[in-house]
Amino acid sequence: MSSDTINIIRHTRAWVERAVIGLNLCPFAKAVQVKGQVRYLLCEATDTEGLLTVLCAQLERLAKVDPAQTDTTL
């Protein structure tokens, strides 16, 4: 994973903590964040087809994985 990817994911996590959880925008966010059940992924797709491919793969992954391990993906 590149340092740019790590920084983007770190900033996204901080935003979730500050905005989504801090402002209580989603009542479910804090519990899954604290339990480490949020999967953060940087999609580097540059077109609609690439984005849909990544999205479908992530949806399939979420359907198969135990929610106690990964409950959601950002």
Side-chain angles (χ1 to χ4, degrees):
M1 201 178 313
S2 76
S3 62
D4 288 341
T5 299
I6 292 168
N7 277 336
I8 291 167
I9 291 173
R10 185 171 48 86
H11 286 291
T12 303
R13 285 178 187 267
W15 172 79
V16 168
E17 291 284 339
R18 189 175 55 254
V20 179
I21 294 171
L23 297 173
N24 200 28
L25 299 176
C26 175
F28 309 105
K30 185 175 183 178
V32 294
Q33 179 81 345
V34 168
K35 294 177 189 175
Q37 296 170 318
V38 180
R39 174 177 159 81
Y40 291 87
L41 176 79
L42 176 63
C43 175
E44 296 186 26
T46 58
D47 61 11
T48 303
E49 185 176 328
L51 178 60
L52 287 173
T53 298
V54 172
L55 178 60
C56 288
Q58 291 308 304
L59 290 172
E60 289 173 1
R61 186 180 189 283
L62 279 173
K64 293 176 184 174
V65 72
D66 179 0
Q69 179 184 351
T70 303
D71 194 70
T72 194
T73 301
L74 292 176

